Amino acid sequence: MVADVAHLSSAHIASETPREHDLLSLARTCLRNLYGERADFAAIVTEIESRVRMAQAERPNDLKALDSARLNTPKWFARPGRPGYSCYIDRFSDTLTGCIDTIPYLNSLGVGLFHPLPLLKPREGDSDGGFAVADYHEVDPRLGTFDDLVALADSLRANDISLVLDVVCNHTAREHAWAKAWLAGDPAYADFYIKVETDAEMQEWNRHLSDVFPDTAPGSFSWDDDAKGFVWTTFYPFQWDLNYANPKVFLAMLDVLLDLANSGVEGFRLDSAAYLWKIKGTICRNLPQAHDILKAFRSYLSVAAPGVFLLAEAIEGLDEVLGYFGTDESQSECDLAYDNTPMTALWGALAEGKADAMSEALRLTQQKPPHGTWLNYVRCHDDIIWQALKGWVDQDRLWRWSNLYAGEGDSFADGLAFQAPAGQAPSTCGMAASLCGVGTDDFGLDRLKLVYGITYALDGVPMIYMGDELAMRNDTLFRDDPQKAQELRWLHRPQMEWTLAEARHRSDTDAGEMFTYLLKLNHIVANIANWSSSAPAKSRSVGDDRILCIDRALPEGTFCCLANMSDMPLFLPASLHGHDLITQAAVQTLPPYGLVWMMRP
């Protein structure tokens, strides 16, 4: 913590190994780009590296042993057949202690990465689903204590499951101690946040900015009486953006990461990574300085806790997302990034019954550098943002897809339109099963299996969103809660239906069929020799634009995924006849929304 760091000295700096020398050199270069013009730059670096060395010395021995093993196992987090699983603790298991009791369920699903959504102590009342953090060193008291979090991390690790936590690094709650100290005029926290005092200056900034929540929280600034000015609030008025132009902010957030890593957290989802730096006259997203911050975080963690990975939450256009891997392995930023482009395009392809948008998305994502890994997903706690495809999918198509998933016209989907800047297609809310038409359409479960079968076939790590494994549908009860009623994303943040989970091995239920299907996919990829997260998924035309064909070149042969995006049965050309790894049957046709996996010489 900031107060503790101030008392450290260079006496904590140990001798460097060659690996550490390179990492520290990169971090110092990044810090020089950010803060090099300051007269106290040398003292800043000394203070930061003292904290890193202290964290390294204090790291528990079992975690140091894990670090050593992982240094020899690149991309250890991308083990075949070990998907991620994302949920809210209070919706999944009520408490952190209760979550320990669910580990057998996670094991039965083959989970390797467990990602609970924000659980650090939030502000009271509306907290944007936990993304308004009031204390990074405590957990939400509704969920338990910090000791409970450590116990959960230990229990997961004992079952070969890694705990991944959200760190909201762009902003804090207005109620955070840093914000209170800033408001009180404490010089130690001067410039922790960004304030403008006049409407004219605010408008000068706003000319280049885009609203994240144009309906529920328009603008990027909020007037605060106590601050006597407009505070920068990219998201909601109670979420105050941190000012990384102040190196004490960088140090404070690094301290959070180091403390959590030494408490047993094995991966961090860095929320809102694109927004970390502000420059007047720019859109204040994806700026070079934000990348310097992430490279420095990655480098310092690689010294103190090298077995920990970073996941970039940057839901941007593909060109911007690719930057969060870093230009090459020696300039690494985040180890994983959300593969948002194919996810969004996949829903578009399903809406149209045509594969072209998904094929193009896969072509574009091949630009990923070899050292990076995609996190592949079907749904998450957020909305589907159609504008992620702008520039190569025309706006008319985006609007048609948005309207379909909002249930307009002759639609199979049961979703809701969210919000978007004026003139852009509204985003989409809804559980995957509901968007696929489970419960309302004869092909609903086939569509759900199709989108997961495609997602599992891609290079990277597949992530299951809580309830998808049981074909759980929308939770409309959120409208009965005054604190959630206006936040449509609660539609797809349901309470876990444990009665469905108890019947997960029954083949006569949607839940049982979906759960068994995912287990089959896990088993297949775990038993394909040399299945590699770095063998890129490449699409190719097979003469029918309703069929998505994905090839991955593996040492033992070519893995091929064939998916019928339409509601019509389709004959396959003779060259594509083969043996389906999922059903173990010979395949010559694809039924409506049918999918097959094959291995070819």
Side-chain angles (χ1 to χ4, degrees):
M1 288 172 271
V2 174
D4 297 326
V5 172
H7 298 292
L8 298 175
S9 71
S10 59
H12 291 284
I13 298 179
S15 58
E16 299 174 0
T17 67
R19 173 182 166 277
E20 290 172 348
H21 173 80
D22 291 343
L23 290 166
L24 293 173
S25 293
L26 174 59
R28 292 165 190 159
T29 297
C30 294
L31 293 180
R32 189 173 296 109
N33 293 340
L34 297 169
Y35 312 119
E37 295 182 1
R38 294 175 60 107
D40 58 350
F41 175 69
I44 291 168
V45 173
T46 297
E47 189 173 11
I48 290 171
E49 294 186 1
S50 294
R51 176 65 183 102
V52 171
R53 288 304 192 182
M54 187 171 76
Q56 183 185 42
E58 293 175 347
R59 189 154 172 80
N61 288 332
D62 61 329
L63 296 179
K64 286 183 177 178
L66 198 61
D67 291 338
S68 296
R70 288 176 175 170
L71 282 172
N72 297 318
T73 312
K75 300 191 178 184
W76 59 267
F77 42 78
R79 292 175 297 166
R82 300 288 285 169
Y85 191 87
S86 179
C87 65
Y88 278 102
I89 291 291
D90 61 329
R91 315 296 280 174
F92 181 62
S93 59
D94 293 332
T95 66
L96 292 164
T97 299
C99 194
I100 293 175
D101 296 333
T102 71
I103 290 177
Y105 176 78
L106 298 173
N107 274 330
S108 75
L109 188 55
V111 170
L113 304 176
F114 180 63
H115 171 218
L117 288 151
L119 54 73
L120 300 177
K121 185 178 179 180
R123 72 189 295 268
E124 293 184 4
D126 185 4
S127 64
D128 187 23
F131 285 94
V133 178
D135 194 329
Y136 293 99
H137 299 282
E138 293 185 26
V139 301
D140 186 336
R142 297 177 304 124
L143 307 179
T145 67
F146 196 88
D147 286 342
D148 294 334
L149 177 63
V150 174
L152 174 60
D154 291 344
S155 297
L156 288 167
R157 192 177 311 108
N159 285 272
D160 197 25
I161 302 173
S162 298
L163 178 63
V164 184
L165 280 196
D166 266 280
V167 170
V168 185
C169 52
N170 175 71
H171 49 267
T172 72
R174 186 191 187 280
E175 293 78 5
H176 196 285
W178 301 343
K180 291 178 180 178
W182 178 72
L183 284 172
D186 185 336
Y189 294 89
D191 298 323
F192 253 62
Y193 301 89
I194 302 170
K195 178 185 76 171
V196 300
E197 297 182 354
T198 68
D199 184 77
E201 185 180 2
M202 180 183 67
Q203 294 305 326
E204 187 177 355
W205 280 100
N206 272 334
R207 275 200 298 272
H208 303 277
L209 305 178
S210 178
D211 293 354
V212 176
F213 299 128
D215 295 344
T216 53
S220 296
F221 294 87
S222 300
W223 174 265
D224 187 87
D225 288 338
D226 293 332
K228 297 180 177 59
F230 298 94
V231 179
W232 198 305
T233 56
T234 293
F235 297 94
Y236 285 106
F238 50 78
Q239 291 167 296
W240 287 11
D241 284 42
L242 289 160
N243 179 20
Y244 277 88
N246 179 353
K248 289 184 179 179
V249 170
F250 174 90
L251 178 55
M253 196 57 66
L254 177 63
D255 187 69
V256 168
L257 295 170
L258 293 170
D259 284 353
L260 289 170
N262 277 1
S263 298
V265 179
E266 299 180 40
F268 294 109
R269 174 187 179 275
L270 299 181
D271 180 68
S272 304
Y275 295 86
L276 298 182
W277 200 268
K278 278 73 172 174
I279 296 178
K280 190 177 290 186
T282 74
I283 63 171
C284 298
R285 283 159 54 187
N286 308 305
L287 296 178
Q289 293 86 348
H291 291 283
D292 281 323
I293 292 168
L294 296 179
K295 277 188 281 193
F297 280 161
R298 173 67 276 172
S299 297
Y300 285 134
L301 276 168
S302 293
V303 171
V308 169
F309 69 80
L310 296 181
L311 164 63
E313 193 274 333
I315 309 304
E316 305 285 324
L318 181 61
D319 288 344
E320 289 80 17
V321 173
L322 290 169
Y324 290 93
F325 291 120
T327 53
D328 56 50
E329 194 165 4
S330 68
Q331 298 280 321
S332 180
E333 291 183 29
C334 293
D335 307 277
L336 297 109
Y338 283 89
D339 203 1
N340 180 61
T341 299
M343 182 279 293
T344 310
L346 179 56
W347 285 107
L350 192 66
E352 283 188 331
K354 293 174 57 179
D356 64 315
M358 184 62 179
S359 295
E360 178 65 7
L362 293 179
R363 186 189 70 80
L364 294 171
T365 56
Q366 290 179 43
Q367 301 171 57
K368 176 188 67 63
H371 67 278
T373 301
W374 289 122
L375 185 77
N376 301 309
Y377 64 116
V378 171
R379 285 298 290 114
C380 67
H381 69 289
D382 265 334
D383 44 311
I384 300 173
I385 303 174
W386 299 109
Q387 290 307 307
L389 305 183
K390 66 181 179 181
W392 61 275
V393 176
D394 65 62
Q395 289 294 321
D396 287 344
R397 293 179 80 184
L398 298 181
W399 273 97
R400 288 199 300 271
W401 300 348
S402 173
N403 291 339
L404 180 138
Y405 287 111
E408 295 186 15
D410 185 18
S411 171
F412 55 76
D414 180 17
L416 291 174
F418 191 35
Q419 52 187 307
Q424 296 182 1
S427 298
T428 294
C429 293
M431 289 291 288
S434 293
L435 296 181
C436 287
V438 173
T440 60
D441 183 281
D442 290 342
F443 293 124
L445 191 63
D446 296 318
R447 293 189 191 94
L448 183 60
K449 291 164 68 175
L450 176 75
V451 292
Y452 263 97
I454 293 170
T455 300
Y456 263 67
L458 304 179
D459 51 297
V461 181
M463 177 73 80
I464 300 167
Y465 184 60
M466 187 203 82
D468 285 358
E469 77 277 13
L470 303 173
M472 280 174 51
R473 290 149 64 185
N474 291 340
D475 180 9
T476 58
L477 296 178
F478 80 96
R479 294 194 184 278
D480 298 333
D481 185 338
Q483 290 190 6
K484 297 176 180 175
Q486 301 305 311
E487 174 54 87
L488 298 187
R489 290 176 296 175
W490 285 106
L491 182 70
H492 52 259
R493 300 172 183 177
Q495 199 75 33
M496 179 66 169
E497 296 184 36
W498 286 108
T499 53
L500 283 181
E502 291 170 2
R504 64 187 180 276
H505 299 301
R506 287 179 49 189
S507 60
D508 60 340
T509 65
D510 287 347
E513 188 173 343
M514 189 65 197
F515 192 93
T516 300
Y517 180 74
L518 292 180
L519 290 186
K520 285 183 180 179
L521 302 186
N522 285 345
H523 178 75
I524 292 168
V525 300
N527 286 279
I528 292 178
N530 300 304
W531 181 275
S532 169
S533 65
S534 60
K538 299 182 178 181
S539 63
R540 63 183 170 97
S541 173
V542 295
D544 189 327
D545 64 4
R546 294 168 295 181
I547 297 176
L548 175 68
C549 179
I550 300 172
D551 289 335
R552 294 184 61 202
L554 303 175
E556 70 175 60
T558 298
F559 169 82
C560 179
C561 171
L562 295 169
N564 180 358
M565 306 306 300
S566 77
D567 60 0
M568 300 290 293
L570 300 175
F571 291 98
L572 293 172
S575 61
L576 293 177
H577 293 179
H579 178 80
D580 183 13
L581 298 173
I582 301 173
T583 64
Q584 299 299 312
V587 177
Q588 296 183 8
T589 63
L590 288 175
Y593 302 110
L595 175 138
V596 298
W597 283 5
M598 301 177 183
M599 283 295 297
R600 298 181 175 281

